[in-house]
Structure formats: C-alpha cells, structure tokens
Amino acid sequence: MAQRPLHAVLLPPAAAGGRLLELLAAALDGSGPAILPLDPSLPRDQLRSILEAFAPGAVETADGVTRGWPGASPGTPAAPAGEGTAVVIATSGSTGKPKGVELSASALLHSARASLARVGAGRGERWLCCLPATHIAGIQVLTRSIASGTTPVVAERADPGVLESAGSAGCAHVSIVPTQLRRLIGGGHRPAPWATAYKSVLLGGAAAPAGLIASAVQAGVPVVTTYGMTETCGGCVYDGVPLDGVSVVTGGDGRLRITGPVLFSGYRRQPGLTAAALDGAWFITSDLGAVDASGRVTVRGRADDVINTGGEKVVAAEVASVLETCPGVREAVVVGRPDAEWGERVTAVVVPVEPGDAPSLDLLRQHVQARLPRYAAPRELVLLDALPMLPSGKPDLEVLRREQSPAGNVTK
C-alpha cells in the first residue's frame, strides 16, 4: 500500500466552510492527503517548531501549495502520515513541546455519527462552527456536517446576533466553550431569543460550573455538557453518559481511562509518548474522576492540577467550582503557587461580577470551608477583569500560576 502524505493547512478561519471542509472530506474518504490544520496567525517560530516536529510533505496556504515547509533544510525528507491517519491535531504537551495527535477517518466518523445520534440531529439540520478548526472541537463540527450531508455555517465569534442569524440559516446545533456561553447569556435571568432555533448546544473544552449551566437552562439554552480530549476525537461523554461504543473506567490511580472506536492512533513521530499514554486498548487520561454503577462519569479535575499544600492534596477544579457559586463571583480559576511554609498555596483567581464590589478573601474562604475541607480554602486572592485564555477557550493556567504584582493580590 502506498504511503499517504501529510499536508499542513494554514488557512484563515473563513476557509473552514469551504477549502478546509473540502480537504477534510478528501482526507476522510481517502481521496486526498491527511491534513494538519494550523493557525496561520501563530508566531513564526512556533509554526516552524510544529512543522519541523511533524515534517509534512507540503504546506497549503491562501497562496497555494508548496512542497516541504518554510525553513526546512535542503533534502530534509517528509514523514508520511501514520497508517489510517486522516487528521493530525497539534496540541501542546506539559513541556511545551508540540504533540501531533493522529486521528483516523474511522475514529472521527464514529465520533461524529455517535454525536449526531445522541443529540437527535435530523436530516438537513446544520451546524454552526464558531470554534477554531485547528482544534478538535472545530474539526468535529465540520466532520459532523460531512457525516450528515450538510454544509456548516462558519463564524469567527459567537455572539447572540451570530447565533440568531445562523439559526435562521438552518443551524440547529452548535459547539461552544464555557466562556462563550457565559458571554452569550449574560446573567441568564431572561430568555435568550437566539436559543429557540437550537436543539443542542454542546458545551465542552473546559469544566462548566454548575451555576453557569443552571443560568443557561434558565435562559432556555439546550445545553449538553461534553467531556473528552483530542485523543478521543473530542467529546466522548455527553451529560455524563459515554457515547455509543465508548467505555470509561477509573484506574487505581484515580485517573479516568477510556476505550472505544473514537481513540487516537498515536502521537506523530513519538512512539514512546504513545506507549506511555496507552494501557493496552485503554487511553490513560490526565483527569481524576469516578464512574458509578450505572456507568455515569463524574470528572473531578486534572491530576496535574492537584495542589499539595501542607501535605494535603487539593483538586483545583473542585475548589474553582465551589468558588463560582459564591455571590459576587463571575468566573474563578484555582492554581497552586510556591509557598515557603505550605509548599504550595491555594490561590483563587477571580473575575468579580462588579469590579468595584469584589468578594473578599475572607468571604471566599468561608464559602469554601462550608463545602470542602478547611485546607482547600484559598490563601491568596487575585482579582482580574478577565481571565487570560488559550485559543482553545481554556484558561491559561501557566500565566495564572505566575506571581502577580503584590498590589493586585490579597494573601492570608
């Protein structure tokens, strides 16, 4: 069998519904090369690092297709796509070194069809794509559109006007992240007019606070929470229930393990990393969680976001979830920062509802202590107007772990 080439695709977001959709369809049915979608606005050094690591056979931009990649040494050989690979998604590892998650056509299409079945997508119902198609969430919106024989509506942002217009164009489904949902519904006390056109609003990419979901439901938004990662073709657990064919268990280390036809094939050109991530047919996630007797999945938070403070272990996401139920808190993230006495101090980074009337550190501590062990209460408070975000829609934890100016912090 001839080896399949890999082409990097650096196209603007507006091309997702046109040229990128065409390239993805060809990658899925085998008539074209495997694709590596990349954001052309990335810093040049970052793009070069990714291209050097993944060694595509060609690069397509808005100006056309060129063999090799910019900056490649003369005679540097391209590496073919892994067997069965249709799409490679670039993600950042904990070391910052890029990882290329190889996804087969069968895995992507199984995920897409299982998703369509779970949300009850009817014939002709279109999807709105307002997430980057360089990430798995955006690629899967395009894949679902291909699987259902529809053309997606592509937008570079998600605001009420965009969703209302897309709904009028036949969109009945959309995939967004919590930050987008929060901006779409505001306080959530009044119905969201745009929501009436949608049968499902998939919410993933980051943990969704219970208060945000409650506000969305109050506003009439048909929210479906999703859990998954690039290695599982995106969301593979909807409202706590795995998609058809997917199984989830908890390992002895408390980490969730996932198996099924949605799993990735491996990390491009990194066999050691692939072997470390898999236990037979099971993918070992970085998330702590539980699965009850009925198979319902509960995610506690990331294993690498556990804060060791005074010998006690605190799951950062659990504390953040509690903080977001405290009056006066719009958004909250919890990180661990080095502390000479405690090893790490639990630090609450909060965006208040009213900047001039922010909750105090004492109030936040009391709120947490009433619901979690005393040692989980934050010892430092950082107030921000907005959280720094990654392109994927997740808070940038590395930035938040850095020390802010003392004037902006309250420490107890």
Side-chain angles (χ1 to χ4, degrees):
M1 178 182 295
Q3 292 183 318
R4 190 179 193 186
L6 174 70
H7 286 192
V9 181
L10 284 74
L11 294 173
R19 178 58 179 161
L20 182 55
L21 188 69
E22 177 185 328
L23 291 169
L24 175 60
L28 291 172
D29 69 17
S31 62
I35 61 171
L36 166 65
L38 296 173
D39 181 355
S41 68
L42 286 174
R44 182 176 299 181
D45 287 348
Q46 188 176 357
L47 274 175
R48 183 183 297 114
S49 175
I50 295 171
L51 293 171
E52 288 178 353
F54 299 160
V59 176
E60 177 166 344
T61 67
D63 296 325
V65 180
T66 57
R67 296 184 64 82
W69 64 93
S73 302
T76 302
E83 185 177 356
T85 297
V87 176
V88 177
I89 299 291
T91 67
S92 296
S94 58
T95 63
K97 182 178 180 181
K99 295 189 298 184
V101 182
E102 297 181 319
L103 301 170
S104 68
S106 61
L108 287 162
L109 289 169
H110 181 95
S111 173
R113 289 164 181 153
S115 174
L116 292 168
R118 183 62 59 88
V119 301
R123 185 175 180 84
E125 292 176 353
R126 303 173 71 187
W127 285 77
L128 169 62
C129 182
C130 52
L131 291 170
T134 52
H135 296 283
I136 187 58
I139 280 290
Q140 274 301 70
V141 170
L142 302 185
T143 304
R144 292 183 200 115
S145 299
I146 292 169
S148 62
T150 60
T151 302
V153 171
V154 178
E156 294 188 31
R157 66 186 188 280
D159 62 35
V162 167
L163 269 81
E164 187 170 351
S165 176
S168 298
C171 288
H173 308 277
V174 63
S175 182
I176 58 176
V177 298
T179 299
Q180 290 173 317
L181 177 61
R182 184 176 282 107
R183 293 169 181 170
L184 281 165
I185 64 172
H189 302 301
R190 291 178 296 180
W194 58 265
T196 58
Y198 291 84
K199 290 177 60 175
S200 72
V201 175
L202 303 189
L203 185 65
L212 175 62
I213 296 172
S215 294
V217 171
Q218 185 180 35
V221 181
V223 172
V224 178
T225 61
T226 70
Y227 165 71
M229 54 284 302
T230 306
E231 289 87 345
T232 61
C233 290
C236 63
V237 176
Y238 282 27
D239 284 340
V241 180
L243 293 178
D244 292 346
V246 175
S247 296
V248 183
V249 299
T250 305
D253 57 359
R255 294 190 182 198
L256 294 171
R257 286 161 163 74
I258 301 173
T259 193
V262 299
L263 284 195
F264 73 129
S265 305
Y267 295 113
R268 181 166 172 78
R269 307 180 77 195
Q270 293 181 291
L273 194 62
T274 301
L278 297 172
D279 181 7
W282 294 86
F283 171 60
I284 307 168
T285 76
S286 298
D287 298 308
L288 301 172
V291 184
D292 67 17
S294 69
R296 182 171 291 274
V297 179
T298 301
V299 182
R300 297 179 61 202
R302 288 182 60 85
D304 54 6
D305 283 343
V306 172
I307 302 168
N308 194 328
T309 180
E312 302 288 356
K313 293 184 177 180
V314 176
V315 180
E318 288 184 331
V319 182
S321 181
V322 169
L323 287 173
E324 289 194 321
T325 66
C326 183
V329 174
R330 181 181 299 278
E331 297 178 78
V333 172
V334 172
V335 295
R337 289 182 172 173
D339 187 279
E341 180 179 0
W342 299 94
E344 288 183 288
R345 63 182 177 275
V346 180
T347 300
V349 183
V350 168
V351 176
V353 174
E354 298 292 342
D357 188 23
S360 67
L361 178 59
D362 283 339
L363 174 62
L364 297 177
R365 285 178 56 81
Q366 292 170 16
H367 190 78
V368 171
Q369 289 172 5
R371 296 159 177 82
L372 294 174
R374 185 179 182 83
Y375 56 77
R379 292 186 171 275
E380 181 179 24
L381 169 62
V382 179
L383 297 173
L384 297 177
D385 293 332
L387 297 175
M389 306 298 289
L390 296 168
S392 61
K394 300 179 182 180
D396 192 333
L397 297 182
E398 289 306 312
V399 168
L400 295 176
R401 289 189 181 103
R402 299 172 194 156
E403 294 286 352
Q404 306 290 318
S405 62
N409 296 9
V410 179
T411 307
K412 195 174 186 69

